[in-house]
Amino acid sequence: MNGVTKLCCSAFIYLSTLSPIVSASNCDNQADNELEKLYCQIITQNTKHQLPSLLDFRKNTEQMQRLLIKRDAKKLGLSLPAKKQDSSKAKPARPQRENQSSLTTNQPKSRKTEPKGEVQNTNSRRLSSCRLNKAYINCATTRFTLQTNKPNSSLHNTALSAANTLLFSNNKNSDTQYLNQSYLTYIDKMMLIGLGDSTMSYTKFHKLFTQNKQNRHQFSQRFNELYELLKKEKQSMAIRTRYNDQYPASIKQCMKVNNKLIICDNVQQNWIYISSKH
């Protein structure tokens, strides 16, 4: 195992201790519908799949779930189940990206009373004038640039030192506000140690907190332990600028958090774009 792979894997092995994992062996017992049963068949028969966890898979609309497993199902000769009749009328569709409805942006506070589906539409309007061009997102007079992993030589001289810690502020805000603020702190800290291409999505960040029912102090401590592990390994291991050459497929996979930051993800991968003005 080379240094790049080891750095990437060890961090996520550590993260796996924060939340329960649905393995291929017990996946079928967890499946609630035909699409989830097919998902379980795929991960059982193809151990090299790149599908999200069952828990993340469930966060997508039925249409997105079908897109996620369509290719793997075809390779294995498996057929997708028939679409539900009038499923779109039975209940409002959940946003394709959990973090779009949860991560606080600079939208008016009145959004609290809006249905979840409206949040995504509002964000889409905020990015409607923006154009995605792989490593750049151009919005009117502002350009946002994709963040990558950086060599240690380009970091601040204290970035990998013991003085740089990742601790979340334990204020009296609601859990949602706490997680929103903590996630932005996490993103900033990952940028500081040059791991712009190695961040987790807000969906996973939120899941790690809620599934374990951790108190805020425990949650902060576990992430600080992870951060220390990443700093230590980055000091001694080589790292690639990017782990693959993929980009967001559409601006609809992105959300503008503030005037400095746009975050995109497709469940499996996270992309961070920072304004060149900042």
Side-chain angles (χ1 to χ4, degrees):
M1 180 180 292
N2 61 37
V4 174
T5 305
K6 187 175 180 181
L7 174 62
C8 178
C9 292
S10 61
F12 284 95
I13 289 171
Y14 180 88
L15 279 174
S16 70
T17 66
L18 294 171
S19 67
I21 296 176
V22 178
S23 65
S25 60
N26 65 8
C27 180
D28 198 57
N29 294 329
Q30 303 288 331
D32 292 333
N33 55 51
E34 293 303 313
L35 272 177
E36 291 182 9
K37 288 180 180 178
L38 179 57
Y39 164 94
C40 292
Q41 281 185 268
I42 291 171
I43 69 170
T44 300
Q45 295 182 39
N46 179 15
T47 57
K48 295 183 179 180
H49 70 85
Q50 295 185 343
L51 293 174
S53 68
L54 178 59
L55 295 167
D56 278 342
F57 181 74
R58 285 172 172 165
K59 295 180 185 293
N60 293 278
T61 61
E62 179 183 342
Q63 181 181 6
M64 180 58 70
Q65 288 177 348
R66 288 176 175 276
L67 290 174
L68 285 171
I69 63 177
K70 182 178 179 180
R71 181 179 297 178
D72 291 287
K74 185 176 181 180
K75 288 181 179 178
L76 296 171
L78 303 173
S79 300
L80 271 65
K83 292 183 179 180
K84 295 178 182 178
Q85 294 296 320
D86 298 324
S87 59
S88 62
K89 297 180 181 180
K91 60 180 180 180
R94 289 177 292 178
Q96 291 182 5
R97 296 175 60 250
E98 182 78 4
N99 51 337
Q100 284 191 333
S101 62
S102 301
L103 182 58
T104 299
T105 66
N106 54 0
Q107 298 174 32
K109 291 184 178 180
S110 59
R111 64 186 285 274
K112 275 187 176 181
T113 59
E114 296 177 350
K116 286 188 176 181
E118 292 297 316
V119 177
Q120 187 180 27
N121 292 336
T122 300
N123 189 62
S124 296
R125 288 195 296 271
R126 295 176 68 230
L127 289 175
S128 60
S129 62
C130 300
R131 296 185 63 183
L132 172 66
N133 184 17
K134 292 187 176 181
Y136 302 98
I137 295 178
N138 296 309
C139 302
T141 59
T142 306
R143 167 175 278 195
F144 294 80
T145 304
L146 179 67
Q147 300 302 292
T148 60
N149 296 325
K150 297 179 180 179
N152 295 343
S153 59
S154 69
L155 305 180
H156 189 277
N157 56 13
T158 62
L160 301 177
S161 72
N164 178 28
T165 58
L166 172 58
L167 294 173
F168 303 138
S169 176
N170 188 7
N171 50 41
K172 295 183 179 180
N173 290 340
S174 67
D175 280 351
T176 297
Q177 291 172 316
Y178 168 75
L179 288 170
N180 291 341
Q181 294 171 1
S182 297
Y183 184 68
L184 293 180
T185 298
Y186 159 75
I187 293 296
D188 284 342
K189 287 290 187 175
M190 290 294 280
M191 297 297 107
L192 187 60
I193 61 173
L195 291 178
D197 189 58
S198 307
T199 64
M200 72 174 68
S201 69
Y202 181 78
T203 302
K204 184 170 182 65
F205 187 83
H206 185 279
K207 181 180 70 175
L208 293 175
F209 178 81
T210 57
Q211 286 190 337
N212 290 274
K213 298 181 179 178
Q214 295 176 322
N215 64 43
R216 296 178 181 185
H217 177 72
Q218 291 174 325
F219 185 67
S220 181
Q221 285 298 116
R222 296 303 289 274
F223 263 85
N224 190 51
E225 290 170 12
L226 167 64
Y227 197 60
E228 292 303 314
L229 173 65
L230 289 173
K231 288 195 303 176
K232 182 178 179 180
E233 294 190 340
K234 196 168 188 292
Q235 285 178 319
S236 58
M237 297 178 186
I239 187 168
R240 295 175 186 168
T241 302
R242 297 193 68 204
Y243 289 118
N244 58 53
D245 59 358
Q246 296 180 10
Y247 298 93
S250 166
I251 197 69
K252 293 180 180 179
Q253 293 180 331
C254 306
M255 57 175 286
K256 187 176 183 181
V257 179
N258 52 45
N259 290 332
K260 173 185 175 182
L261 177 66
I262 292 178
I263 300 178
C264 310
D265 85 72
N266 64 358
V267 179
Q268 298 180 55
Q269 186 170 343
N270 215 42
W271 294 272
I272 306 297
Y273 290 81
I274 300 292
S275 168
S276 57
K277 285 186 176 182
H278 293 79

